[in-house]
Amino acid sequence: MTSSVPQALDELYHRHLTLTEHTDWAYHRLLPWDRGRDFGQTPWEAGQGTLPPAMALAVETAMLTEVNLPWFTAGLVRLMQDAPDALRQFVHTWTSEEDRHARVLETYLILSRNGDPDARSRLVRTVVREGWDVPGDSPFSVMVYTTLQELATRVFYLNLAQVAREADPVLDRILKTIAKDETLHFAFYRGAVGAYLEEDPERIGAVCDIVPLFTMPGAGMPDFGQRMRSASDHGGYGLPEYLSQVIQPLLRDWGVFEHQVSSGVEAHRRGLADYLSRLERAAQRVAERRRSRGEDR
Ligand SMILES: [Fe+2]
Ligand SMILES: [Fe+2]
């Protein structure tokens, strides 16, 4: 029996190319150049920033996640070596689209004087030098990971845009533009994983193993925990959103708990169910903390 996967991947890739033709963007059109001032004449000082500090921190954290792209691409190229053509081509296209994200965010922060640009420049180098190992040991398992990653970033950008709208419409537009890219990346990877699962539902075992391992690239950056707490408290993205807007819809979409599987895979599924109940309890605690903070105000 010949596999239906390569054809499904071809279709997904061509759909991606058609859709991006209409949504393509160039960052010079999005940035507020008129706010730029010479740092030699007017050195940076705390207090010049135009955003609430927690929002500036969330934008910077997103940028630091995006700067891991060279390591991400290196890992994907290695794992996709023997993968069908469409996947290998997609990695190239995906890299060219992701390449704009860190740049537009960092330039925005520099022009709007949010955050110390020297400290940030050192931080970027530390994060990139640290490197990043893409989790997974096959094209399939790495795509389970990247699907989560693309959906998580999509939700992160959209939720942050909602909070940022009032503070700076320019930032709102930048975040929504990036979110559109992430949405299309997510659609490709979700469809690709779906095609592999359709071919062999036993692959659900690998899905169950990868999902609990998910952390954002850059999780090793200094102060990552504090940055994530701040995004959760002020940026509209934390565990409750991760659970209800990322994990749950994705598992439903792939039918992870619906497919008929062997007893061996069932054991992996029970492991995932345990992880989900722990995540639910942790998300509830975060939601309660937010409520009591809101009441304290
Ligand atoms: Fe991105
Ligand atoms: Fe993306």
Side-chain angles (χ1 to χ4, degrees):
M1 197 180 75
T2 52
S3 166
S4 58
V5 170
Q7 200 197 330
L9 297 175
D10 275 343
E11 283 168 15
L12 284 165
Y13 183 51
H14 283 107
R15 196 182 66 171
H16 181 83
L17 292 180
T18 310
L19 289 171
T20 46
E21 226 169 84
H22 301 299
T23 57
D24 200 23
W25 57 278
Y27 71 96
H28 68 282
R29 295 190 196 283
L30 291 174
L31 287 162
W33 299 107
D34 56 337
R35 297 188 204 168
R37 275 176 294 159
D38 189 319
F39 283 94
Q41 282 166 15
T42 318
W44 183 82
E45 275 172 32
Q48 288 173 340
T50 51
L51 297 175
M55 198 178 293
L57 191 70
V59 176
E60 186 184 89
T61 304
M63 186 274 288
L64 291 171
T65 304
E66 299 277 0
V67 293
N68 278 289
L69 181 64
W71 299 107
F72 223 127
T73 298
L76 287 177
V77 167
R78 180 173 50 80
L79 284 165
M80 299 284 189
Q81 248 168 20
D82 302 316
D85 269 0
L87 284 186
R88 287 185 291 117
Q89 285 173 33
F90 181 76
V91 170
H92 284 246
T93 300
W94 172 87
T95 302
S96 72
E97 290 160 6
E98 288 290 347
D99 181 52
R100 306 174 283 197
H101 296 176
R103 228 171 325 139
V104 72
L105 292 173
E106 186 173 18
T107 314
Y108 166 81
L109 289 170
I110 291 171
L111 289 171
S112 57
R113 296 201 169 225
N114 283 294
D116 178 350
D118 290 306
R120 187 166 49 233
S121 164
R122 284 191 295 273
L123 197 52
V124 167
R125 290 198 52 223
T126 306
V127 170
V128 177
R129 195 170 46 210
E130 186 82 3
W132 167 256
D133 283 328
V134 180
D137 53 9
S138 68
F140 177 74
S141 58
V142 76
M143 284 195 299
V144 171
Y145 182 88
T146 48
T147 312
L148 281 168
Q149 153 84 20
E150 297 294 349
L151 182 55
T153 45
R154 169 187 197 267
V155 172
F156 181 87
Y157 285 124
L158 286 180
N159 292 8
L160 186 59
Q162 210 161 33
V163 187
R165 201 181 312 159
E166 243 174 74
D168 187 355
V170 171
L171 176 60
D172 176 46
R173 208 167 133 224
I174 291 174
L175 296 171
K176 283 189 181 136
T177 303
I178 302 177
K180 256 187 228 157
D181 282 358
E182 311 298 19
T183 303
L184 293 178
H185 299 159
F186 158 65
F188 176 87
Y189 285 127
R190 179 189 56 183
V193 169
Y196 276 98
L197 286 178
E198 195 73 30
E199 185 185 61
D200 181 6
E202 290 291 283
R203 292 188 171 117
I204 281 174
V207 176
C208 297
D209 293 347
I210 290 281
V211 168
L213 299 179
F214 181 77
T215 52
M216 295 294 267
M221 75 178 78
D223 310 325
F224 186 74
Q226 192 213 326
R227 284 169 182 274
M228 284 292 117
R229 261 193 308 282
S230 170
S232 173
D233 288 346
H234 308 283
Y237 183 84
L239 270 190
E241 291 73 28
Y242 178 58
L243 182 68
S244 65
Q245 298 175 35
V246 179
I247 292 275
Q248 287 170 339
L250 201 50
L251 295 178
R252 264 198 307 272
D253 198 274
W254 284 334
V256 168
F257 288 98
E258 279 87 52
H259 278 287
Q260 289 285 341
V261 291
S262 66
S263 56
V265 172
E266 191 54 53
H268 293 257
R269 204 146 69 173
R270 276 197 299 277
L272 179 62
D274 286 347
Y275 164 78
L276 289 176
S277 1
R278 285 198 301 277
L279 199 63
E280 254 161 57
R281 286 196 295 274
Q284 263 164 17
R285 285 196 295 274
V286 173
E288 275 157 28
R289 199 181 70 210
R290 282 180 188 167
R291 266 197 300 278
S292 62
R293 250 199 30 227
E295 283 159 13
D296 286 350
R297 273 191 206 135

